[in-house]
């Protein structure tokens, strides 16, 4: 019942955004984004599990603990990671400066950064950039905001839906930034979601956690978990639906479903725009003993350089796929494991099947390819999205010199 | 006190070997190897942890349980993996045919295979090949044997030492085959060790397990664990040293030390010959809370495609190295973590250090590079060997079509 709509991150009522050029990026492109809710919003966020978490992650984790927010302030071009005490001071300052300009408390501002690791923030440019962004904020600014959070992504990642909740029309929208370390020293998958749904902070937190678990957390480009990953959501309640508190009710389910679809759409865009990608791969594992097992098997396939280079070479190399399943640590019985690529059965319960080689060549030449593994040992399933591994990946990541 | 000697796998007393062309490989190169001990030998072996273990792994695991062996029979060109019941029948037959030709029991024969996954063995060629190999066996055949276990390795991996044990001169030797899946559908790291030391099977098993733990298990090319990995050892006692039974004694330590050095030398050769490698990387992690932690951190660095492409590009991209340490699941305190590349300190307790950029460029241009991470949280350390990630890797693994 979701309806896709235009308007991006400011499509929900009561949100403004801007993306401006602060001069942090050498390219001169947009590099400071602000997303602002005119009404204080319930807020939730999930962060990288990397112990080397960047300063903005530390600050935002603290601020979001209060369960409310008025703004996301985001810069690209500098990750503010591995920057020690100065980095913490700068991340705190970014929240303070934004809060003062918006007349809110610093705790209502969530900070995110992406870019070069190990370099301290050019705070003069950042400060001026925040002031410019606050002045520039508008409902029309959503596209510039989506642009300003990118590093070398090749396209904007924007998604917005409308749906009914408790008799009211509710909107939910998001923008994202590609995963993978798109330049040397560049990092980070970022996602920002806005909605005018009315929902309590604890319910929002749980919905985000569940949605991210089957969307952003199911994307891999090169298996590296960045220092700066963050997905945040603000829900300002302006849609006027009855406030969602009960996480067992229908309204919660409807909201979570919309949020999950939104996050999944954004996550798939991230995989599709992986570094040097020439293929978009959907890896489905079913028949697993548990969701964790299904995810382990799917991730092992999606992360294997051998599998990824085979897809780049359009080689239906099923031995590598089974091999990855075999070391995934999922419960696997070789004699029960089946594999299909693009709907063509390649392996039937552990044994190579007869298949139409020409049909398989056609599948392997497609841009979008579905890999389906049936472990045949249980009821659970999982889907992971990834891309192939190309010369261009090596070029992007090896030929750039810091 | 180890002295490097020539003579390869037949340098220890009482061993013969051969490598012959059986026509299993399309290239027509050597593809069946035999290594034979004229005296029944104590034997031990370690195998892949991949659940999709190939048929020869299943057979050899069973045979070596008895603790003795007379021969390794090895073929390249076909992995006999994912081949179901027919594969098991064929692997059993390989042991049976070899045993009959040598006049030993099938349980004294360990079988290993490497090559294409999912294709059944051309048993007519294999059978003829085994008979030819048994006929061709000699002390001089060691080099052909080292050749016949290879797939697309670019050089032979041979190592032999002499040392004193209980007043006797003992020899230990080994050959290995490169890790990484060197062709599409090709797999496997193989290692075969011979020694004329006298040692009980339980002591040999423990020594091999400990030696492999810090040598072959510390090599990664692309992070994929093959279906066919195996390292085996035969010890025939002809050196006449007092039999080693006691794993707490000096003789055991001396033997284990020699075996460890041998396995480490072979393992480093494997990393050096990784697919498309242009760099040989030694990753040392010290100051860890435990060996497991040190290994986790070192492996995370060595397996990261981002780190590996950076070394290919000669880019001293330390943010990626710290990022990998951060997601390694080792106990890490960012403010305590230090990093040096080629002896040049880049990060000192979490913060970027001042360093001579020209000196670092010189280090990065070297073929052999040492990465040193000090976690500064404990006494443990570990070393992992790997190679970089080049265009050639993508080419080898993506452009070959099955």
């Amino acid at each position: 019942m979701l309806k896709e709509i235009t308007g991006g991150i400011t499509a929900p009522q009561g949100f403004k955004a801007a993306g401006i050029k602060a001069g942090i990026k050498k390219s001169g492109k947009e590099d400071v984004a602000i997303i602002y809710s005119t009404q204080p919003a319930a807020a939730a966020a999930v962060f990288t599990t990397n112990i080397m978490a960047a300063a903005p992650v530390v600050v935002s984790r603290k601020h979001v603990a209060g369960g409310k927010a008025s703004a996301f302030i985001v810069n690209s071009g500098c990750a503010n990671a591995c920057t020690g005490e100065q980095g913490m001071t700068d991340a705190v300052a970014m929240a303070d400066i934004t809060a003062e300009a918006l007349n809110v408390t610093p705790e209502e501002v969530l900070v995110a950064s992406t870019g070069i690791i190990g370099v301290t923030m050019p705070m003069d440019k950042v400060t001026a950039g925040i002031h410019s962004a606050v002045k520039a904020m508008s409902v029309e600014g959503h596209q510039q905001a989506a642009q300003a959070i990118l590093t070398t992504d090749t396209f904007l990642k924007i998604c917005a839906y409308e749906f009914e909740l408790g008799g009211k029309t509710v909107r939910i929208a998001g923008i994202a930034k590609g995963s993978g370390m798109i330049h040397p020293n560049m990092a980070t998958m970022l996602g920002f979601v806005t909605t005018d749904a009315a929902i309590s902070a604890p319910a929002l937190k749980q919905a985000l956690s569940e949605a991210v678990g089957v969307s952003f957390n199911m994307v891999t480009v090169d298996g590296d978990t960045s220092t700066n990953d963050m997905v945040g959501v603000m829900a300002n309640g302006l849609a006027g639906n009855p406030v969602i508190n009960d996480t067992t009710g229908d309204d919660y389910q409807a909201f979570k479903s919309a949020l999950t679809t939104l996050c999944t759409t954004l996550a798939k865009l991230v995989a599709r725009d992986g570094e040097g990608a020439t293929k978009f791969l959907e890896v489905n594992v079913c028949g697993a003993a548990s969701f964790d097992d299904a995810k382990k098997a799917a991730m092992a396939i999606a992360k294997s350089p051998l599998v990824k280079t085979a897809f780049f070479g359009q080689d239906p190399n099923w031995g590598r796929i089974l091999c990855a399943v075999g070391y995934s640590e999922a419960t696997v019985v070789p004699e029960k494991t089946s594999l299909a690529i693009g709907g063509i059965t390649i392996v039937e319960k552990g044994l190579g099947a007869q298949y139409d080689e020409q049909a398989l060549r056609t599948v392997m030449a497609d841009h979008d390819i579905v890999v389906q593994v049936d472990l045949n040992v249980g009821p659970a399933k999982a889907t992971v999205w990834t891309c192939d591994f190309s010369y261009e990946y090596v070029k992007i990541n090896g030929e750039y010199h810091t």
Side-chain angles (χ1 to χ4, degrees), chain A:
Chain A
M1 246 77 81
L2 290 184
K3 186 181 141 200
E4 204 171 335
I5 56 172
T6 58
I9 195 91
T10 55
Q13 294 179 61
F15 286 95
K16 293 180 182 177
I20 60 96
K21 300 169 181 174
I24 306 168
K25 279 182 181 163
K26 281 182 187 161
S27 67
K29 287 188 182 170
E30 285 83 356
D31 48 17
V32 170
I34 189 164
I35 302 162
Y36 171 62
S37 177
T38 55
Q39 305 292 315
V46 291
F47 302 95
T48 182
T49 55
N50 195 310
I51 293 177
M52 299 282 177
V57 167
V58 176
V59 170
S60 293
R61 200 180 266 143
K62 197 172 142 201
H63 286 186
V64 82
K68 60 177 191 164
S70 289
F72 297 128
I73 187 80
V74 191
N75 77 279
S76 54
C78 181
N80 197 6
C82 301
T83 42
E85 283 178 33
Q86 185 62 48
M88 281 304 299
T89 303
D90 293 343
V92 167
M94 282 178 70
D96 288 348
I97 294 160
T98 307
E100 195 181 342
L102 294 172
N103 198 24
V104 300
T105 66
E107 290 71 27
E108 286 175 88
V109 178
L110 304 187
V111 184
S113 300
T114 179
I116 298 171
I117 297 180
V119 175
T120 52
M121 296 287 276
M123 281 306 290
D124 49 344
K125 290 175 182 172
V126 172
T127 304
I130 292 172
H131 286 297
S132 300
V134 169
K135 279 195 197 103
M137 289 188 318
S138 70
V139 170
E140 291 71 35
H142 70 89
Q143 203 153 328
Q144 284 77 11
Q147 177 67 51
I149 67 170
L150 305 183
T151 49
T152 58
D153 300 54
T154 67
F155 54 80
L156 299 178
K157 293 166 187 71
I158 299 174
C159 183
Y161 296 117
E162 195 171 274
F163 63 110
E164 298 294 310
L165 208 55
K168 300 286 181 177
T169 298
V170 170
R171 290 176 164 192
I172 188 165
I175 57 176
K177 175 209 169 287
S179 84
M181 303 222 175
I182 293 152
H183 261 325
N185 286 331
M186 297 278 177
T188 314
M189 183 166 68
L190 297 177
F192 302 102
V193 178
T194 56
T195 178
D196 47 23
I199 181 168
S200 72
L204 184 63
K205 186 178 177 182
Q206 185 174 327
L208 181 66
S209 171
E210 294 183 35
V212 168
V214 295
S215 59
F216 286 107
N217 283 353
M218 299 304 265
V219 168
T220 179
V221 169
D222 49 26
D224 279 58
T225 304
S226 128
T227 49
N228 290 53
D229 290 343
M230 168 178 169
V231 178
V233 54
M234 289 192 282
N236 67 14
L238 287 177
N241 62 295
V243 180
I244 301 169
N245 282 302
D246 174 13
T247 58
T248 62
D250 288 349
D251 282 3
Y252 173 80
Q253 289 304 326
F255 177 79
K256 192 184 84 174
S257 169
L259 180 63
T260 301
T261 302
L262 183 90
C263 288
T264 303
T265 301
L266 291 171
K268 287 164 82 168
L269 290 174
V270 165
R272 192 174 286 281
D273 198 19
E275 298 156 331
T278 75
K279 303 278 183 193
F280 172 72
L281 307 176
E282 176 171 310
V283 181
N284 294 313
V285 172
C286 67
S290 65
F291 172 77
D292 279 356
D293 263 22
K295 182 178 175 181
K296 274 180 192 166
M299 273 289 177
I301 295 168
K303 287 168 73 167
S304 163
L306 291 168
V307 170
K308 292 160 86 80
T309 48
F311 276 99
F312 171 63
Q314 305 193 1
D315 179 23
N317 203 316
W318 60 269
R320 293 182 181 177
I321 297 173
L322 287 195
C323 181
V325 170
Y327 65 71
S328 68
E329 300 182 354
T331 299
V332 173
V333 180
E335 302 76 36
K336 291 188 177 181
T337 309
S338 297
L339 166 69
I341 301 177
I344 299 172
T345 299
I346 310 292
V347 177
E348 181 75 41
K349 301 200 169 170
L351 284 173
Q354 296 295 323
Y355 57 85
D356 179 342
E357 292 196 4
Q358 182 53 48
L360 187 58
R361 268 196 293 276
T362 305
V363 163
M364 293 299 293
D366 284 345
H367 185 278
D368 291 17
I369 304 175
V370 176
V371 175
Q372 176 82 37
V373 172
D374 188 345
L375 299 179
N376 275 309
V377 296
K381 61 183 182 175
T383 299
V384 163
W385 300 279
T386 191
C387 54
D388 62 339
F389 227 169
S390 69
Y391 290 120
E392 195 63 19
Y393 178 89
V394 178
K395 180 169 181 163
I396 293 170
N397 287 294
E399 289 213 331
Y400 175 102
H401 287 249
T402 44

